[in-house]
Amino acid sequence: MSEEIILSELSQEEIYELMKEDLYDGLANEIVEEVNESLGRGQQPYEVLTYGLVAGMEIVGNDFRDGILFVPEVLMAAKAMKAGMAILRPLLAETGAEKIGSMVIGTVKGDIHDIGKNLVTMMMEGAGFEVFDLGINNSAEAYIEAIEKHDADILGMSALLTTTMPYMKVVIDTLKEKGIRKDVVVLVGGAPLNEAFAEAIEADAYCRDAAVAVETAKKFMQIRRGVKA
Ligand code: B1M
């Protein structure tokens, strides 16, 4: 945000446009101000996330793909996105809802992308799930150790690279070998995935975005509760 811009004089639409520009330029402090201004106007945290941060990151992604932006710029954008998400996180988690299930989540081995996974974590916590976030670069063993330790209902795996998404199948095959595949619902997500891939690796479902992840997890928890009853 340049100095002459006074946020309070802008419409909400203009603020969302500015957020996209500032995210693109990796301006974390400006993003923080714009998130706070939006919330102060009564925008819902999910709206700020979707129309400001996620929309901005989509543009970054396109220009990264097209060779207009490079890794250092994308890292700056990711840092700015995380600064905005840090404000939204407690608000999205603030539902006071009773815990409805538990989830182990992490990005797969060889993959360090974590923004989408963090978003899913935030939304799941907000929906009343207890989430154990393993971070990035997870082996099958790390996932399984965490599932057993926390007696998790759901395993969530994230992959953003076409080269790392096949590792999800390795994890599922390892769950099968250990005889615990049926004990846990496996949800997968990440930009290069689709339903056909999820089906091919025998995951329980593909989640297009964080909101779909929450809905899908809730649906499976209802089924699990029904089975247990
Ligand atoms: Co990377 N990168 N990156 N990158 N990066 C992509 C993924 C890429 C598509 C960019 C491009 O070319 N357009 C491309 C992959 C191409 C391919 O595989 N075909 C790519 C590449 C090539 C690379 C490197 C190899 C670049 C290099 O070094 N030459 C390298 C790989 C490093 C590695 O992992 N080993 C690399 C590095 C990086 C940065 C470190 C610079 C940075 C990551 C920072 C971070 O995450 N902390 C980065 C970024 C930011 C991106 C893009 C631009 C944005 C990803 C993102 O955060 N999106 C990305 C372009 C793109 O995806 N269009 C790109 C926003 C986020 C909210 O969306 O992650 O899709 P997303 O998550 C969504 C859904 O997918 C879903 O819900 C989320 C929220 O709605 N979801 C789940 C995700 N996980 C889920 C798990 C679930 C459920 C739903 O579990 C139940």
Short mmCIF file of all heavy atoms in Angstrom, two decimals, residues 63-104:
data_model
loop_
_atom_site.label_atom_id
_atom_site.label_comp_id
_atom_site.label_asym_id
_atom_site.label_seq_id
_atom_site.Cartn_x
_atom_site.Cartn_y
_atom_site.Cartn_z
N ASP A 63 0.95 -16.34 -12.40
CA ASP A 63 2.15 -15.67 -12.91
C ASP A 63 3.41 -16.48 -12.63
O ASP A 63 4.40 -16.39 -13.37
CB ASP A 63 2.25 -14.25 -12.33
CG ASP A 63 1.31 -13.31 -13.07
OD1 ASP A 63 0.56 -13.79 -13.94
OD2 ASP A 63 1.31 -12.10 -12.78
N PHE A 64 3.38 -17.28 -11.58
CA PHE A 64 4.50 -18.19 -11.28
C PHE A 64 4.55 -19.23 -12.40
O PHE A 64 5.61 -19.50 -12.97
CB PHE A 64 4.24 -18.84 -9.92
CG PHE A 64 5.38 -19.66 -9.36
CD1 PHE A 64 6.71 -19.35 -9.63
CD2 PHE A 64 5.13 -20.73 -8.53
CE1 PHE A 64 7.74 -20.10 -9.09
CE2 PHE A 64 6.15 -21.50 -7.98
CZ PHE A 64 7.46 -21.17 -8.27
N ARG A 65 3.39 -19.77 -12.74
CA ARG A 65 3.30 -20.77 -13.80
C ARG A 65 3.82 -20.21 -15.13
O ARG A 65 4.54 -20.87 -15.86
CB ARG A 65 1.82 -21.20 -13.95
CG ARG A 65 1.57 -22.19 -15.08
CD ARG A 65 0.10 -22.26 -15.40
NE ARG A 65 -0.40 -20.97 -15.85
CZ ARG A 65 -1.63 -20.52 -15.66
NH1 ARG A 65 -2.52 -21.25 -15.02
NH2 ARG A 65 -2.01 -19.32 -16.10
N ASP A 66 3.46 -18.94 -15.39
CA ASP A 66 3.81 -18.35 -16.68
C ASP A 66 5.20 -17.73 -16.71
O ASP A 66 5.56 -17.05 -17.68
CB ASP A 66 2.75 -17.28 -17.05
CG ASP A 66 1.37 -17.91 -17.19
OD1 ASP A 66 1.30 -19.14 -17.37
OD2 ASP A 66 0.37 -17.18 -17.11
N GLY A 67 5.96 -17.92 -15.65
CA GLY A 67 7.34 -17.43 -15.64
C GLY A 67 7.46 -15.94 -15.44
O GLY A 67 8.49 -15.34 -15.73
N ILE A 68 6.39 -15.31 -14.92
CA ILE A 68 6.44 -13.86 -14.68
C ILE A 68 6.98 -13.61 -13.26
O ILE A 68 7.71 -12.67 -13.00
CB ILE A 68 5.03 -13.24 -14.86
CG1 ILE A 68 4.57 -13.46 -16.30
CG2 ILE A 68 5.02 -11.77 -14.49
CD1 ILE A 68 3.09 -13.25 -16.53
N LEU A 69 6.61 -14.49 -12.35
CA LEU A 69 7.14 -14.42 -10.97
C LEU A 69 8.06 -15.61 -10.74
O LEU A 69 7.87 -16.68 -11.33
CB LEU A 69 5.99 -14.49 -9.96
CG LEU A 69 5.06 -13.30 -9.82
CD1 LEU A 69 4.04 -13.57 -8.74
CD2 LEU A 69 5.83 -12.02 -9.50
N PHE A 70 9.03 -15.44 -9.83
CA PHE A 70 9.96 -16.51 -9.50
C PHE A 70 9.89 -16.84 -8.02
O PHE A 70 9.22 -16.15 -7.25
CB PHE A 70 11.37 -16.12 -9.96
CG PHE A 70 11.44 -15.94 -11.46
CD1 PHE A 70 11.29 -14.69 -12.05
CD2 PHE A 70 11.56 -17.05 -12.29
CE1 PHE A 70 11.30 -14.53 -13.42
CE2 PHE A 70 11.58 -16.90 -13.67
CZ PHE A 70 11.45 -15.65 -14.24
N VAL A 71 10.62 -17.90 -7.63
CA VAL A 71 10.50 -18.39 -6.26
C VAL A 71 10.63 -17.29 -5.18
O VAL A 71 9.81 -17.23 -4.26
CB VAL A 71 11.49 -19.56 -6.00
CG1 VAL A 71 11.54 -19.93 -4.53
CG2 VAL A 71 11.09 -20.78 -6.84
N PRO A 72 11.64 -16.40 -5.24
CA PRO A 72 11.75 -15.40 -4.17
C PRO A 72 10.48 -14.55 -4.03
O PRO A 72 10.03 -14.29 -2.91
CB PRO A 72 12.94 -14.54 -4.60
CG PRO A 72 13.71 -15.39 -5.53
CD PRO A 72 12.73 -16.27 -6.23
N GLU A 73 9.90 -14.15 -5.16
CA GLU A 73 8.68 -13.32 -5.10
C GLU A 73 7.51 -14.13 -4.54
O GLU A 73 6.71 -13.62 -3.76
CB GLU A 73 8.29 -12.81 -6.49
CG GLU A 73 9.20 -11.74 -7.05
CD GLU A 73 9.96 -12.23 -8.26
OE1 GLU A 73 10.35 -13.40 -8.26
OE2 GLU A 73 10.16 -11.42 -9.19
N VAL A 74 7.46 -15.40 -4.93
CA VAL A 74 6.35 -16.23 -4.45
C VAL A 74 6.49 -16.47 -2.95
O VAL A 74 5.51 -16.50 -2.21
CB VAL A 74 6.28 -17.55 -5.24
CG1 VAL A 74 5.17 -18.44 -4.71
CG2 VAL A 74 6.06 -17.28 -6.71
N LEU A 75 7.74 -16.59 -2.50
CA LEU A 75 7.97 -16.76 -1.06
C LEU A 75 7.50 -15.53 -0.29
O LEU A 75 6.91 -15.64 0.78
CB LEU A 75 9.46 -16.98 -0.79
CG LEU A 75 9.93 -18.42 -0.79
CD1 LEU A 75 11.44 -18.47 -0.58
CD2 LEU A 75 9.24 -19.23 0.32
N MET A 76 7.76 -14.36 -0.85
CA MET A 76 7.31 -13.11 -0.20
C MET A 76 5.79 -13.07 -0.15
O MET A 76 5.19 -12.68 0.85
CB MET A 76 7.81 -11.89 -0.99
CG MET A 76 9.31 -11.69 -0.96
SD MET A 76 9.88 -11.22 0.68
CE MET A 76 9.34 -9.52 0.75
N ALA A 77 5.16 -13.49 -1.25
CA ALA A 77 3.69 -13.51 -1.29
C ALA A 77 3.16 -14.50 -0.24
O ALA A 77 2.19 -14.21 0.48
CB ALA A 77 3.20 -13.91 -2.68
N ALA A 78 3.84 -15.65 -0.14
CA ALA A 78 3.41 -16.66 0.84
C ALA A 78 3.54 -16.11 2.26
O ALA A 78 2.70 -16.36 3.12
CB ALA A 78 4.25 -17.92 0.67
N LYS A 79 4.61 -15.34 2.49
CA LYS A 79 4.82 -14.76 3.82
C LYS A 79 3.70 -13.75 4.14
O LYS A 79 3.17 -13.72 5.26
CB LYS A 79 6.19 -14.04 3.82
CG LYS A 79 6.83 -13.99 5.17
CD LYS A 79 8.26 -13.47 5.03
CE LYS A 79 8.66 -12.80 6.34
NZ LYS A 79 9.81 -11.92 6.18
N ALA A 80 3.35 -12.96 3.14
CA ALA A 80 2.26 -11.99 3.34
C ALA A 80 0.94 -12.71 3.59
O ALA A 80 0.16 -12.32 4.45
CB ALA A 80 2.15 -11.09 2.11
N MET A 81 0.73 -13.79 2.85
CA MET A 81 -0.51 -14.57 3.03
C MET A 81 -0.56 -15.13 4.45
O MET A 81 -1.59 -15.09 5.12
CB MET A 81 -0.54 -15.71 2.01
CG MET A 81 -1.70 -16.66 2.21
SD MET A 81 -2.57 -16.91 0.68
CE MET A 81 -3.98 -17.87 1.22
N LYS A 82 0.58 -15.64 4.92
CA LYS A 82 0.61 -16.22 6.27
C LYS A 82 0.35 -15.16 7.34
O LYS A 82 -0.27 -15.43 8.36
CB LYS A 82 1.94 -16.91 6.51
CG LYS A 82 2.02 -18.24 5.79
CD LYS A 82 3.26 -19.03 6.15
CE LYS A 82 3.22 -20.38 5.46
NZ LYS A 82 4.37 -21.22 5.78
N ALA A 83 0.84 -13.93 7.09
CA ALA A 83 0.62 -12.84 8.06
C ALA A 83 -0.88 -12.56 8.17
O ALA A 83 -1.42 -12.35 9.27
CB ALA A 83 1.37 -11.59 7.62
N GLY A 84 -1.57 -12.59 7.04
CA GLY A 84 -3.02 -12.38 7.05
C GLY A 84 -3.74 -13.54 7.70
O GLY A 84 -4.67 -13.36 8.49
N MET A 85 -3.29 -14.75 7.39
CA MET A 85 -3.94 -15.94 7.95
C MET A 85 -3.78 -16.00 9.47
O MET A 85 -4.64 -16.51 10.18
CB MET A 85 -3.35 -17.20 7.30
CG MET A 85 -3.98 -17.50 5.94
SD MET A 85 -3.03 -18.68 4.96
CE MET A 85 -3.14 -20.16 5.93
N ALA A 86 -2.65 -15.47 9.97
CA ALA A 86 -2.41 -15.50 11.42
C ALA A 86 -3.49 -14.72 12.16
O ALA A 86 -3.88 -15.08 13.28
CB ALA A 86 -1.03 -14.94 11.72
N ILE A 87 -4.00 -13.67 11.54
CA ILE A 87 -5.07 -12.88 12.18
C ILE A 87 -6.40 -13.64 12.10
O ILE A 87 -7.19 -13.64 13.04
CB ILE A 87 -5.24 -11.51 11.48
CG1 ILE A 87 -3.93 -10.75 11.52
CG2 ILE A 87 -6.37 -10.69 12.12
CD1 ILE A 87 -3.95 -9.52 10.61
N LEU A 88 -6.61 -14.28 10.97
CA LEU A 88 -7.90 -14.94 10.75
C LEU A 88 -8.03 -16.26 11.51
O LEU A 88 -9.12 -16.67 11.89
CB LEU A 88 -8.11 -15.18 9.25
CG LEU A 88 -8.14 -13.91 8.40
CD1 LEU A 88 -8.19 -14.27 6.92
CD2 LEU A 88 -9.33 -13.03 8.78
N ARG A 89 -6.89 -16.90 11.73
CA ARG A 89 -6.91 -18.24 12.33
C ARG A 89 -7.76 -18.34 13.61
O ARG A 89 -8.67 -19.14 13.69
CB ARG A 89 -5.49 -18.72 12.59
CG ARG A 89 -5.46 -20.10 13.19
CD ARG A 89 -4.04 -20.61 13.41
NE ARG A 89 -4.13 -22.04 13.64
CZ ARG A 89 -3.46 -22.95 12.99
NH1 ARG A 89 -2.61 -22.61 12.08
NH2 ARG A 89 -3.63 -24.22 13.27
N PRO A 90 -7.46 -17.50 14.64
CA PRO A 90 -8.26 -17.63 15.86
C PRO A 90 -9.73 -17.31 15.64
O PRO A 90 -10.60 -17.88 16.29
CB PRO A 90 -7.62 -16.62 16.82
CG PRO A 90 -6.77 -15.74 16.00
CD PRO A 90 -6.41 -16.48 14.76
N LEU A 91 -10.02 -16.44 14.70
CA LEU A 91 -11.41 -16.07 14.45
C LEU A 91 -12.17 -17.22 13.80
O LEU A 91 -13.33 -17.50 14.13
CB LEU A 91 -11.49 -14.83 13.56
CG LEU A 91 -10.77 -13.60 14.12
CD1 LEU A 91 -10.76 -12.49 13.09
CD2 LEU A 91 -11.45 -13.13 15.40
N LEU A 92 -11.49 -17.90 12.89
CA LEU A 92 -12.13 -19.04 12.22
C LEU A 92 -12.30 -20.20 13.19
O LEU A 92 -13.21 -21.02 13.05
CB LEU A 92 -11.31 -19.48 11.01
CG LEU A 92 -11.37 -18.54 9.81
CD1 LEU A 92 -10.28 -18.85 8.82
CD2 LEU A 92 -12.72 -18.62 9.14
N ALA A 93 -11.42 -20.27 14.18
CA ALA A 93 -11.48 -21.39 15.12
C ALA A 93 -12.42 -21.11 16.29
O ALA A 93 -12.69 -21.98 17.10
CB ALA A 93 -10.08 -21.68 15.65
N GLU A 94 -12.95 -19.88 16.35
CA GLU A 94 -13.68 -19.40 17.51
C GLU A 94 -15.15 -19.79 17.53
O GLU A 94 -16.01 -18.97 17.78
CB GLU A 94 -13.61 -17.85 17.48
CG GLU A 94 -13.67 -17.18 18.82
CD GLU A 94 -13.45 -15.69 18.64
OE1 GLU A 94 -14.32 -15.04 18.04
OE2 GLU A 94 -12.42 -15.20 19.09
N THR A 95 -15.47 -21.00 17.21
CA THR A 95 -16.88 -21.37 17.16
C THR A 95 -17.37 -21.89 18.50
O THR A 95 -18.56 -21.93 18.74
CB THR A 95 -17.12 -22.48 16.12
OG1 THR A 95 -16.33 -23.60 16.50
CG2 THR A 95 -16.73 -22.02 14.74
N GLY A 96 -16.41 -22.34 19.35
CA GLY A 96 -16.81 -22.90 20.63
C GLY A 96 -17.54 -24.22 20.46
O GLY A 96 -18.13 -24.74 21.39
N ALA A 97 -17.47 -24.75 19.24
CA ALA A 97 -18.20 -26.00 18.97
C ALA A 97 -17.56 -27.16 19.72
O ALA A 97 -16.35 -27.19 19.94
CB ALA A 97 -18.18 -26.27 17.48
N GLU A 98 -18.40 -28.12 20.07
CA GLU A 98 -17.90 -29.33 20.71
C GLU A 98 -17.05 -30.09 19.69
O GLU A 98 -17.32 -30.04 18.49
CB GLU A 98 -19.12 -30.19 21.06
CG GLU A 98 -18.96 -30.95 22.35
CD GLU A 98 -20.25 -31.72 22.62
OE1 GLU A 98 -21.24 -31.07 23.03
OE2 GLU A 98 -20.24 -32.92 22.40
N LYS A 99 -16.00 -30.78 20.16
CA LYS A 99 -15.15 -31.53 19.23
C LYS A 99 -15.96 -32.65 18.57
O LYS A 99 -16.58 -33.45 19.26
CB LYS A 99 -13.95 -32.12 19.97
CG LYS A 99 -12.99 -31.05 20.47
CD LYS A 99 -12.16 -30.44 19.34
CE LYS A 99 -11.42 -29.19 19.78
NZ LYS A 99 -11.79 -27.97 19.07
N ILE A 100 -15.94 -32.64 17.24
CA ILE A 100 -16.75 -33.65 16.57
C ILE A 100 -15.92 -34.77 15.95
O ILE A 100 -16.46 -35.73 15.43
CB ILE A 100 -17.67 -33.03 15.49
CG1 ILE A 100 -16.86 -32.18 14.51
CG2 ILE A 100 -18.79 -32.25 16.09
CD1 ILE A 100 -17.72 -31.68 13.35
N GLY A 101 -14.61 -34.64 16.04
CA GLY A 101 -13.75 -35.69 15.50
C GLY A 101 -12.32 -35.21 15.49
O GLY A 101 -12.04 -34.05 15.83
N SER A 102 -11.40 -36.11 15.14
CA SER A 102 -10.00 -35.71 15.14
C SER A 102 -9.37 -36.02 13.79
O SER A 102 -9.76 -36.96 13.10
CB SER A 102 -9.24 -36.44 16.25
OG SER A 102 -9.34 -37.82 16.06
N MET A 103 -8.40 -35.20 13.45
CA MET A 103 -7.76 -35.33 12.15
C MET A 103 -6.25 -35.13 12.25
O MET A 103 -5.80 -34.21 12.92
CB MET A 103 -8.32 -34.27 11.20
CG MET A 103 -7.69 -34.28 9.82
SD MET A 103 -8.22 -32.84 8.88
CE MET A 103 -8.50 -33.55 7.29
N VAL A 104 -5.53 -36.01 11.58
CA VAL A 104 -4.09 -35.81 11.39
C VAL A 104 -3.95 -35.28 9.97
O VAL A 104 -4.53 -35.84 9.04
CB VAL A 104 -3.33 -37.14 11.56
CG1 VAL A 104 -1.95 -37.05 10.95
CG2 VAL A 104 -3.24 -37.53 13.03
#
